[in-house]
Amino acid sequence: MRIDLHCHSTASDGTDTPAELVRNAAAAGLDVVALTDHDTTRGYAEAIAALPEGLTLVTGAELSCRIDGISMHMLAYLFDPAEPALLAERELVRDDRVPRAKGMVAKLGALGVPVTWEQVERIAAGGSVGRPHVATALVELGVVPTVSDAFTEEWLADGGRAFVEKHETDPFEAIRLVKNAGGVCVFAHPAAAKRGRTVPEARIAEMAEAGLDGLEVDHMDHDADARDRLRGLAKDLDLLVTGSSDYHGSRKTVTLGAYTTDPEVYGEITRRATGAFPVPGTGGA
Ligand code: AMP
Ligand code: FE
Ligand code: FE
Ligand code: ZN
């Protein structure tokens, strides 16, 4: 069983449509794929409609959170997408991404970059708008060669010249909301140091107390030392260990299934979840 529990589609900052994502996941030999767009569940219907036979879809989202001024991402799986409190929080975060992106466009304008909101809006194409869309605009304008190259102090990295904060949820509140909606919480790429400051272990221990289910350990942004340390921490705190690609289509170099999750851990995630069931593919359109 090959299980990839973290993938993005055009519903946020991936480049595969949800239908393309599930087809590509099947073609990559995956048995289980999770759709975890940033702060939205809008891709679910299309992914389910296109789900190939033999592939199972885990519905989810990657929630933007912040603690002690440190941004972090919380993967939420198999929650009830209609549960009102979590839905309201997702919408708050997602909607705030629009004025925030406009703010980054304004800062870029002041820096002499002729990017427009219309350009970013076209690139985002109705998806949950984020820095990768702004970064794609910078690539189109020839300002940087790749999306990753826009994530520097000079441009869009946390605290960078054109960076603007967005509303982000307190992770303890996120855990409470996700649990209340029957979901399971996994701290995404907790040691991705190149993205900025990381959350201290003492805080992760508090999150474990508050109901955090797991840590995403096997991820491209973690080196061997970080993975060893996180595996030890997960053991100490009795947390599940996951691995996943964090696939973004052509906006990142990582491929589907580049990192995977142990089937036993996947089984435990599905046992804990009460908000939704994994969707088995029946060979959709
Ligand atoms: P935002 O949610 O709008 O703040 O943007 C954060 C997103 O930017 C992350 O989820 C990644 O998809 C992407 N990202 C962050 N750092 C990098 C990087 N160095 N290269 C490419 N994409 C990145
Ligand atoms: Fe992303
Ligand atoms: Fe993330
Ligand atoms: Zn992600």
Side-chain angles (χ1 to χ4, degrees):
M1 277 248 280
R2 296 190 68 226
I3 301 158
D4 188 341
L5 292 180
H6 183 168
C7 298
H8 297 268
S9 77
T10 51
S12 65
D13 56 7
T15 58
D16 289 3
T17 63
E20 288 166 347
L21 174 68
V22 293
R23 287 189 205 116
N24 287 337
L30 291 174
D31 301 285
V32 178
V33 69
L35 180 62
T36 53
D37 277 306
H38 296 288
D39 308 305
T40 188
T41 63
R42 278 184 184 165
Y44 289 10
E46 185 187 317
I48 291 168
L51 200 59
E53 198 169 347
L55 179 68
T56 294
L57 180 73
V58 169
T59 51
E62 187 176 21
L63 308 176
S64 303
C65 296
R66 183 159 62 221
I67 184 159
D68 305 332
I70 304 170
S71 289
M72 56 165 282
H73 292 168
M74 188 70 82
L75 290 161
Y77 297 116
L78 300 173
F79 54 86
D80 173 3
E83 191 285 316
L86 180 56
L87 174 63
E89 183 64 20
R90 262 192 331 270
E91 285 182 342
L92 185 69
V93 177
R94 199 185 61 224
D95 293 350
D96 192 51
R97 285 171 165 278
V98 173
R100 180 261 197 154
K102 289 180 177 169
M104 291 192 286
V105 166
K107 281 193 169 183
L108 287 164
L111 291 166
V113 178
V115 60
T116 63
W117 165 244
E118 285 67 31
Q119 185 186 3
V120 174
E121 197 178 28
R122 167 179 58 76
I123 292 164
S128 182
V129 60
R131 280 182 281 172
H133 300 122
V134 180
T136 298
L138 295 182
V139 174
E140 284 184 1
L141 292 166
V143 175
V144 289
T146 72
V147 166
S148 280
D149 289 301
F151 284 84
T152 60
E153 291 301 304
E154 200 183 358
W155 303 113
L156 300 174
D158 285 26
R161 292 190 304 167
F163 174 71
V164 176
E165 283 188 347
K166 62 183 178 299
H167 174 78
E168 296 176 319
T169 308
D170 177 279
F172 294 96
E173 174 71 357
I175 291 168
R176 196 184 65 72
L177 289 167
V178 171
K179 299 263 135 175
N180 182 53
V184 173
C185 283
V186 173
F187 190 157
H189 44 74
K194 71 168 189 191
R195 298 186 187 206
R197 284 197 296 146
T198 58
V199 176
E201 291 189 2
R203 279 300 206 185
I204 299 178
E206 290 171 20
M207 289 179 209
E209 280 293 309
L212 178 69
D213 293 282
L215 300 179
E216 185 183 54
V217 174
D218 293 308
H219 185 283
M220 68 174 294
D221 290 355
H222 295 158
D223 62 19
D225 283 352
R227 289 179 205 185
D228 284 350
R229 184 174 64 72
L230 287 172
R231 241 179 265 286
L233 184 65
K235 196 162 193 288
D236 290 347
L237 299 175
D238 198 22
L239 292 170
L240 302 172
V241 165
T242 70
S244 35
S245 64
D246 200 356
Y247 176 74
H248 280 69
S250 63
R251 275 204 188 93
K252 277 190 187 174
T253 53
V254 74
T255 53
L256 277 162
Y259 302 96
T260 55
T261 293
D262 188 291
E264 282 183 27
V265 171
Y266 168 63
E268 182 59 23
I269 288 171
T270 60
R271 274 190 291 280
R272 290 187 191 183
T274 57
F277 293 106
V279 184
T282 51

